[in-house]
């Protein structure tokens, strides 16, 4: 005796499960695309803002000390985190993410110049930390795990002292003329390397070690 | 996509598919959940095998005596399996024309059940564990199913009797869901269980043999045998038998390792049921039952490894900042977390489990209070314990090291 099989139930369950899965994938992908679009827009706004500040300071010879450094710096922390998440989601080799990351690092360089100027001219209690890292596994420039650890420490340090720290992170593997010049300027060959208030530390640094310097 | 992500997707997909089969079957057959009351009263023998149950045997016997069923159509056979306590003496006080008490040398549950079944006179035999108490309407609701000649066995809903210890509370949720899922499986004729309170046709035993002695899950073996002989097993959701469940971890571990070992043994024995000739049992239950022990063992190692790595990495990171983290709500991280397909899947599976749990409670008329904490423990911690028990059973099965009773 051959017994009955509930084919319709299995087909319905299979179709529904597949549909739910696909919907989840598309939803998540759509969200990543949406965030990417938003990121692009924010970066554009930043570029305009920076250009505006450039023109203001040059044309009107406005006192740069009137500018709030937190406003110049603040949004970039969020963009940095967004890029890190998108790298995780879309992959480190995703072209669009790579482009956004390169662009972000260029904005960081421009921000660095402004922050340095503010620091020099305005006698502000501001510590500028440049962090060169790698997120590539088996990178001969340095162990990516050490970079990860250093990043974690810096992230917590920023949470602890948000009003006296500006941390600018650079991927050592990003190939861009401006970034390459920055690397040459500070003689960056490996990771992690920290530049704390213009002093070079080509090594992993503990929390206490950094805190003593700022 | 990482290896971990692929594994999570595959297992989530299977879980989702299986849950949807349950839900669709339930929605299709909602009207069949209520039992019909019988108008015919065949002669029934209740066989109670007992070993060292002096504390509960009175309650069990009383629950059978109080069954709402014509007394002249009911015989009760208590078989003491050479208890070392007062079980036999206590049960013997109840002996009368309809209630017979026997004692014999200790030879295990199957042997004791077979002893009772062989002297039973009923057309139907209710096999009842000595620590299981039935509701009055059990027989009236169960018997109707036997009007279908293809039905070989009928089971009742099983619930833990006590609600005191932590593990008892968790098992209430487990038994509740299991009852509901068993009912659903019975609706597609693929119910493969016959635990503490099951009714069989006596002829079946005569024709196809008695409970297999030495089998760790003789009830599961019998259920598979019923299916292999092309009979159906039905389930009644609206009458309950209450049973004692392990109170502590040690007891639970021993019981589960024995059950799962027995399950693996019997699945191997009846592997021929993995065939479309056996309908939904062969097409759905058997593949799921054979695949999931392997998945559970895998999940045990997978979760353990990931949990240990995660704890190690958290401790490592925290040590970098002298264990003094600064907590801030990071909107970006939260947004990515909440829109991750894996998070979405887990949220969905959580709601599906809530849906099943709600209907399970409703249809089994479960009244005991379950706190959100207990439910979350059941969903998060208890599965891991189950995976652990499966892993132990699996490896014992591989090296043929049978657990003791």
């Amino acid at each position: 005796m051959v017994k009955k099989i509930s084919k319709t139930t299995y087909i319905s369950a299979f179709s529904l499960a597949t549909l739910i899965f696909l919907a989840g994938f598309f939803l998540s992908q759509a969200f990543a695309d949406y965030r990417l679009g938003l990121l692009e827009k924010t970066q554009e706004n930043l570029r305009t803002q920076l250009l505006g500040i450039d023109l203001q300071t040059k044309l009107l010879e406005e006192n740069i000390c009137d500018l709030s450094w937190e406003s110049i710096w603040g949004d970039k922390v969020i963009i940095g985190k967004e890029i890190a998440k998108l790298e995780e989601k879309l992959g480190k080799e995703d072209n669009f993410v790579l482009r956004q990351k390169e662009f972000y690092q260029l904005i960081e360089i421009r921000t660095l110049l402004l922050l340095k100027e503010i620091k020099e001219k305005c006698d502000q209690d501001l510590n500028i930390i440049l962090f060169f890292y790698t997120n590539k596994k088996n990178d001969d420039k340095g162990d990516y795990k050490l970079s990860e650890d250093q990043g974690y420490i810096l992230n917590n340090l920023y949470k602890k002292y948000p009003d006296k720290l500006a941390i600018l992170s650079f991927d050592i593997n990003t190939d861009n003329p401006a970034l390459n010049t920055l690397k040459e300027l500070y003689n960056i060959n490996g990771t992690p390397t920290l530049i704390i208030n213009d002093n070079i530390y080509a090594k992993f640094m503990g929390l206490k070690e950094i805190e003593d310097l700022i | 996509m990482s290896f971990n992500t692929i594994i999570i997707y595959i297992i989530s997909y299977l879980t989702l598919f299986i849950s949807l089969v349950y839900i669709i079957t339930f929605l299709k057959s909602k009207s069949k959940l209520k039992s019909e009351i019988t108008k015919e009263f065949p002669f029934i023998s209740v066989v109670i095998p007992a070993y060292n149950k002096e504390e509960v045997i009175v309650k069990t016997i009383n629950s059978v005596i109080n069954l709402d069923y014509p007394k002249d159509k009911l015989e009760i056979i208590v078989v003491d399996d050479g208890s070392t306590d007062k079980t036999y003496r206590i049960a013997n006080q109840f002996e009368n024309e309809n209630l017979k008490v026997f004692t014999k040398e200790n030879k295990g549950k199957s042997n004791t059940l077979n002893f009772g079944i062989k002297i039973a006179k009923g057309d139907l035999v209710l096999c009842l564990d000595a620590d299981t108490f039935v509701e009055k309407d059990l027989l009236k609701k169960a018997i109707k199913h036997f009007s279908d000649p293809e039905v070989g066995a009928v089971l009742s809903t099983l619930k833990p009797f006590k609600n005191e210890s932590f593990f008892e509370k968790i098992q209430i949720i487990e038994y509740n869901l299991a009852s509901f899922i068993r009912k659903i499986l019975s609706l597609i004729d693929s119910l493969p269980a016959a635990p503490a309170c099951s009714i069989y046709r006596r002829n079946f035993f005569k024709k196809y043999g008695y409970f297999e002695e030495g089998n760790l899950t003789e009830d599961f073996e019998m259920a598979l045998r019923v299916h292999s002989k092309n009979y159906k097993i039905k389930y009644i959701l609206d009458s309950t038998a209450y049973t004692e469940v392990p109170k502590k971890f040690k007891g639970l571990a021993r019981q589960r390792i024995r059950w799962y070992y027995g399950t693996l043994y019997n699945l191997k024995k009846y592997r021929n049921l993995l065939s479309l000739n056996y309908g939904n049992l062969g097409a759905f239950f058997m593949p799921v039952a054979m695949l999931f022990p392997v998945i559970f063992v895998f999940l045990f190692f997978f979760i353990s490894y990931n949990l240990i790595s995660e704890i190690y990495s958290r401790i490592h990171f925290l040590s970098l900042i002298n264990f003094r983290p600064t907590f801030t709500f990071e909107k970006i991280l939260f947004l990515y977390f909440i829109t991750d397909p894996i998070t979405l899947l887990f949220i969905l599976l959580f709601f599906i489990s809530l849906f099943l749990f709600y209907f399970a409670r409703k249809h089994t008329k479960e009244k005991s209070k379950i706190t959100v904490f207990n439910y979350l423990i059941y969903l998060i911690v208890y599965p891991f314990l189950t995976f652990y028990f499966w892993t132990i059973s699996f490896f014992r099965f591989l090296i043929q090291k049978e657990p003791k009773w």
Side-chain angles (χ1 to χ4, degrees):
Chain A
M1 182 175 68
V2 176
K3 288 185 178 174
K4 217 175 81 181
I5 294 176
S6 317
K7 277 185 201 154
T8 0
T9 303
Y10 300 135
I11 293 170
S12 311
F14 173 77
S15 315
L16 213 58
T18 311
L19 211 69
I20 290 170
F21 246 68
L22 290 178
F25 274 123
F26 286 127
L27 207 73
S28 174
Q29 197 61 38
F31 174 79
D33 288 345
Y34 168 74
R35 299 299 308 181
L36 212 54
L38 221 60
L39 176 74
E40 205 178 11
K41 221 181 222 172
T42 318
Q43 300 236 66
E44 258 178 45
N45 288 345
L46 270 180
R47 188 172 49 175
T48 318
Q49 197 189 340
L50 280 173
L51 192 68
I53 294 168
D54 259 1
L55 294 173
Q56 259 183 317
T57 48
K58 278 179 186 150
L59 284 175
L60 305 171
E61 290 181 356
E62 190 184 332
N63 188 354
I64 200 164
C65 299
D66 289 345
L67 291 169
S68 140
W69 74 269
E70 284 107 329
S71 71
I72 301 170
W73 162 243
D75 285 354
K76 291 175 195 66
V77 182
I78 297 166
I79 295 178
K81 281 185 180 155
E82 182 104 44
I83 288 175
K85 279 318 274 184
L86 283 166
E87 263 187 334
E88 205 178 284
K89 201 159 188 92
L90 303 170
K92 286 170 186 162
E93 304 303 321
D94 183 274
N95 276 338
F96 201 43
V97 177
L98 279 176
R99 231 176 28 244
Q100 288 303 316
K101 191 171 160 182
E102 190 179 347
F103 187 43
Y104 168 68
Q105 293 179 101
L106 291 180
I107 291 177
E108 277 191 311
I109 295 175
R110 184 65 197 95
T111 309
L112 170 69
L113 298 177
L114 258 174
L115 291 176
K116 271 184 154 182
E117 210 176 332
I118 291 175
K119 197 182 170 185
E120 275 164 23
K121 290 183 182 166
C122 316
D123 189 31
Q124 282 207 22
D125 182 21
L126 169 64
N127 293 283
I128 304 171
I129 300 181
L130 309 189
F131 168 40
F132 289 88
Y133 68 91
T134 178
N135 58 7
K136 261 189 191 171
K137 283 182 186 172
N138 308 319
D139 191 348
D140 49 14
K141 291 184 188 101
D143 184 357
Y144 82 99
K145 280 194 173 163
L146 271 183
S147 288
E148 203 176 76
D149 288 355
Q150 192 71 77
Y152 185 80
I153 291 175
L154 290 174
N155 192 25
N156 267 277
L157 207 65
Y158 181 72
K159 281 186 196 168
K160 209 168 164 187
Y161 308 106
D163 46 0
K164 59 187 271 197
L165 265 185
I167 301 168
L168 302 143
S169 311
F170 300 97
D171 186 341
I172 199 165
N173 293 307
T174 305
D175 186 20
N176 176 279
L179 201 65
N180 291 341
T181 311
L182 190 71
K183 283 187 260 181
E184 276 167 29
L185 208 64
Y186 289 109
N187 195 23
I188 308 291
N189 298 312
T191 63
T193 298
L194 295 174
I195 318 291
I196 304 174
N197 297 327
D198 262 344
N199 298 308
I200 305 168
Y201 303 90
K203 59 170 186 170
F204 172 82
M205 290 178 85
L207 180 76
K208 180 84 179 34
E209 228 175 327
I210 305 172
E211 265 180 329
D212 288 346
L213 294 171
I214 59 174
Chain B
M1 209 182 278
S2 71
F3 172 74
N4 280 9
T5 315
I6 294 169
I7 292 295
I8 293 173
Y9 280 146
I10 293 173
I11 295 172
S12 306
Y13 185 86
L14 283 171
T15 314
L16 185 62
F17 170 73
I18 293 166
S19 308
L20 286 170
V21 169
Y22 293 152
I23 290 176
I24 293 169
T25 309
F26 164 68
L27 294 175
K28 269 177 159 177
S29 325
K30 247 175 142 179
S31 57
K32 295 180 195 163
L33 296 180
K34 221 177 155 193
S35 304
E36 283 182 60
I37 305 288
T38 185
K39 285 184 183 119
E40 288 172 20
F41 301 98
F43 195 83
I44 296 179
S45 304
V46 181
V47 176
I48 307 170
Y51 177 71
N52 287 351
K53 294 288 177 189
E54 62 178 11
E55 283 171 20
V56 287
I57 192 72
V58 172
K59 203 170 165 66
T60 304
I61 293 175
N62 275 331
S63 80
V64 178
I65 291 172
N66 291 330
L67 274 168
D68 182 12
Y69 202 78
K71 300 296 170 223
D72 58 331
K73 299 278 187 181
L74 194 70
E75 69 165 348
I76 305 164
I77 300 166
V78 180
V79 187
D80 172 56
D81 187 24
S83 296
T84 52
D85 66 359
K86 293 181 203 147
T87 305
Y88 176 65
R89 243 186 292 162
I90 295 170
N92 214 19
Q93 291 168 359
F94 286 86
E95 195 163 58
N96 61 36
E97 202 185 320
N98 296 326
L99 195 155
K100 301 286 176 213
V101 182
F102 300 88
T103 189
K104 64 170 192 64
E105 194 189 340
N106 177 258
K107 281 192 171 173
K109 191 179 165 191
S110 295
N111 178 276
T112 315
L113 268 170
N114 294 340
F115 182 97
I117 295 165
K118 281 173 189 168
I119 53 173
K121 294 194 250 1
D123 305 318
L124 303 171
V125 180
L126 164 61
C127 299
L128 184 69
D129 282 3
D131 55 3
T132 306
F133 331 117
V134 287
E135 277 184 347
K136 275 185 169 186
D137 56 1
L138 171 80
L139 292 179
K140 278 193 167 176
K141 284 181 172 169
I143 299 310
K144 181 75 183 167
H145 285 292
F146 285 102
S147 55
D148 176 355
E150 285 184 8
V151 170
V154 176
L155 331 179
S156 81
T157 292
L158 207 58
K159 288 181 188 175
F161 173 58
K162 286 183 186 156
N163 182 15
E164 289 160 9
S165 80
F166 171 76
F167 282 108
E168 282 171 335
K169 285 186 172 113
I170 300 296
Q171 285 176 92
I172 286 182
I173 306 173
E174 183 192 26
Y175 274 69
N176 223 240
L177 272 171
S179 297
F180 190 57
I181 286 166
R182 281 175 180 168
K183 177 68 190 178
I184 292 172
L185 285 172
S186 81
L187 292 169
I188 52 172
D189 294 328
S190 52
L191 173 62
C197 175
S198 314
I199 308 168
Y200 299 91
R201 289 180 193 276
R202 189 162 61 98
N203 275 343
F204 184 88
F205 295 115
K206 277 186 173 174
K207 212 170 163 184
Y208 300 112
Y210 294 84
F211 283 101
E212 189 178 282
E213 293 187 21
N215 195 309
L216 286 176
T217 47
E218 77 296 328
D219 46 359
F220 183 53
E221 192 278 336
M222 185 53 76
L224 292 178
R225 202 190 311 171
V226 169
H227 280 290
S228 73
K229 303 300 174 195
N230 282 314
Y231 281 94
K232 296 173 191 169
I233 299 178
K234 290 292 171 191
Y235 196 87
I236 49 168
L237 206 53
D238 45 8
S239 186
T240 304
Y242 294 90
T243 191
E244 290 213 318
V245 296
K247 281 180 194 164
K248 292 178 182 164
F249 177 80
K250 201 177 164 190
L252 183 72
R254 280 185 65 175
Q255 183 200 56
R256 295 309 161 103
I257 290 168
R258 182 165 48 81
W259 281 4
Y260 299 155
Y261 187 99
T263 302
L264 292 170
Y265 173 84
N266 290 314
L267 282 173
K268 190 184 169 201
K269 183 176 175 186
Y270 285 95
R271 57 190 179 277
N272 63 312
L273 292 180
L274 186 72
S275 151
L276 296 183
N277 291 339
Y278 290 98
N280 290 316
L281 184 93
F284 181 68
F285 174 77
M286 288 302 282
V288 169
M290 285 175 157
L291 182 65
F292 267 76
V294 181
I295 291 182
F296 290 155
V297 174
F298 174 80
L299 278 176
F300 174 72
F301 289 111
F302 180 79
I303 294 172
S304 303
Y305 173 76
N306 282 293
L307 204 65
I308 292 167
S309 319
E310 187 62 28
I311 291 171
Y312 170 78
S313 119
R314 294 271 158 174
I315 292 174
H316 168 70
F317 279 133
L318 284 172
S319 73
L320 294 174
I321 53 165
N322 303 328
F323 296 95
R324 270 181 281 177
T326 313
F327 293 104
T328 48
F329 176 71
E330 302 198 39
K331 199 176 148 199
I332 293 289
L333 302 186
F334 178 73
L335 278 174
Y336 276 98
F337 169 74
I338 205 77
T339 54
D340 191 88
I342 292 174
T343 314
L344 292 174
L345 258 174
F346 279 120
I347 293 173
L348 180 75
L349 289 173
F350 173 73
F351 280 107
I352 287 179
S353 85
L354 271 187
F355 175 88
L356 287 171
F357 184 57
Y358 168 76
F359 282 101
R361 275 180 76 85
K362 190 179 162 193
H363 290 286
T364 56
K365 297 184 184 112
E366 180 60 56
K367 297 281 188 309
S368 56
K369 248 184 147 184
I370 297 296
T371 60
V372 176
F373 172 74
N374 284 339
Y375 192 63
L376 287 177
I377 292 285
Y378 172 75
L379 279 185
I380 301 161
V381 182
Y382 199 67
F384 186 70
L385 273 185
T386 311
F387 302 156
Y388 167 69
F389 299 146
W390 270 108
T391 305
I392 302 282
S393 313
F394 194 83
F395 284 104
R396 289 187 83 124
F397 181 69
L398 285 183
I399 58 167
Q400 300 286 299
K401 194 176 174 195
E402 194 171 289
K404 286 181 188 140
W405 267 80

